Amino acid sequence: MNYTLNQLQIFLKIVQTQSVTKASEELHLTQPAVSIQLKNFQDQFDIPLTEVVGRKIYITDFGREIAEAAENIINQVHAINYKTHAYKGQLSGRLKISVVSTGKYVMPFFLADFMNQHQAIELVMDVTNKHKVIESLEQNQVDFALVSILPTTLHVEKLDLLQNKLFLVGNAQAKVPARTKADEIFKELPLIFREKGSGTRQTMESFLESNHISVQKKMELTSNEAVKQAVLAGLGYSIMPLIGIRNELHSHQLQIIPIKGLPIITTWSLIWLKGKKHSPVSAAFLHHLEEEKDNIAHDTFRWYEQY
């Protein structure tokens, strides 16, 4: 046996994602590079680790046992690195955070100073939709989650970081007469939704339901960036978080459509399972945010106040 740590990491990621393509994306490697390393790793075993049926890869029972062993080895390597840093008096370990997709415009600014102060810390931040964020929190796979709508099915504690404002948005060419009722806007152009499981979609649907608005035409896209590009192209309107459209508003590519009942205001909150025992790293990060969150919000998001 002459497998490498790199091969173990690649194989484990393939098992976790059930896909060579997805594994290559998450590892920031080319697909051929991942395929070559997988083949080199498999060639060292007499029993198959994977099976390919059609175009889909399946992990054998033996492969799953090897993946479990690989994960243990990788964790031990991390532990050695952390002990080395600790011996030097440095705060070290992993900080794992799951962030709803629009939160990618928020969370990095609340992380930057802390990560710069403690460079031995390894950050793992997953950006996905609300459903998957809550799932990872429920399974205790992460230290914290960033959401704009609190889960109703979990007992959590929270630290509020920033307001989240959502406006009806159209492109620069959109012409909506003043005092046009919301239900009239959507008779001609579709309303563009995020996918099911998205917090933004949940907020939109609550607004439509409470205002008795029936949407005759709708589109569904799977990322905030895709929604923004569709609005820019004139395909319709969407109710979007202000945090993700700052540049387009300043360059007059997008415009806010005044509608009664908007903006919708929620709060970006860092949440964690109630009663969770924080690691030294996550406890230090929480303490940092409690001390600095107001300064970060004021210094970085001052532009928010004009809307």
Side-chain angles (χ1 to χ4, degrees), residues 69-289:
E71 185 172 18
N72 290 333
I73 293 169
I74 292 167
N75 287 337
Q76 288 299 315
V77 171
H78 286 309
I80 292 170
N81 293 336
Y82 300 153
K83 287 177 182 178
T84 302
H85 291 301
Y87 193 78
K88 294 178 180 178
Q90 299 173 343
L91 184 64
S92 63
R94 279 187 173 184
L95 179 62
K96 295 182 286 186
I97 303 176
S98 189
V99 177
V100 294
S101 56
T102 314
K104 66 188 175 188
Y105 300 107
V106 176
M107 199 68 238
F109 295 100
F110 288 91
L111 281 161
D113 287 345
F114 180 76
M115 296 301 298
N116 288 332
Q117 292 169 17
H118 305 286
Q119 297 190 9
I121 290 175
E122 179 185 353
L123 173 66
V124 180
M125 188 171 80
D126 181 36
V127 180
T128 184
N129 67 28
K130 183 194 172 189
H131 174 75
K132 293 181 179 178
V133 167
I134 300 305
E135 186 177 73
S136 65
L137 189 70
E138 184 177 17
Q139 295 176 2
N140 202 29
Q141 296 173 343
V142 294
D143 300 306
F144 302 106
L146 182 71
V147 297
S148 60
I149 302 174
L150 295 177
T152 57
T153 57
L154 292 179
H155 295 295
V156 298
E157 298 180 70
K158 69 184 179 78
L159 182 66
D160 294 338
L161 301 182
L162 187 72
Q163 273 193 345
N164 181 34
K165 302 178 183 179
L166 296 97
F167 292 87
L168 180 65
V169 177
N171 73 359
Q173 288 73 45
K175 295 181 180 179
V176 179
R179 299 181 181 177
T180 303
K181 294 182 179 180
D183 57 348
E184 294 178 358
I185 288 179
F186 307 124
K187 287 180 179 177
E188 298 300 326
L189 286 176
L191 184 61
I192 303 171
F193 286 76
R194 283 285 307 278
E195 79 285 2
K196 291 182 179 179
S198 159
T200 299
R201 178 176 180 135
Q202 183 180 342
T203 302
M204 287 175 62
E205 290 179 333
S206 295
F207 169 77
L208 296 172
E209 183 178 349
S210 62
N211 287 275
H212 309 290
I213 297 172
S214 177
V215 179
Q216 297 180 17
K217 303 176 182 178
K218 67 165 68 173
M219 296 174 59
E220 181 177 303
L221 301 176
T222 57
S223 75
N224 202 62
E225 186 62 29
V227 171
K228 181 164 65 177
Q229 293 302 321
V231 175
L232 283 167
L235 290 175
Y237 301 89
S238 189
I239 297 175
M240 302 186 68
L242 178 63
I243 196 76
I245 57 174
R246 178 188 183 185
N247 293 337
E248 289 76 15
L249 290 174
H250 284 185
S251 62
H252 304 292
Q253 295 175 282
L254 293 177
Q255 60 172 309
I256 290 173
I257 310 297
I259 289 291
K260 184 179 179 181
L262 296 178
I264 303 166
I265 298 178
T266 60
T267 302
W268 290 110
S269 299
L270 195 72
I271 63 174
W272 58 95
L273 290 176
K274 189 175 182 64
K276 181 177 177 62
K277 294 181 179 179
H278 290 292
S279 68
V281 169
S282 61
F285 179 57
L286 188 58
H287 177 71
H288 169 78
L289 286 185

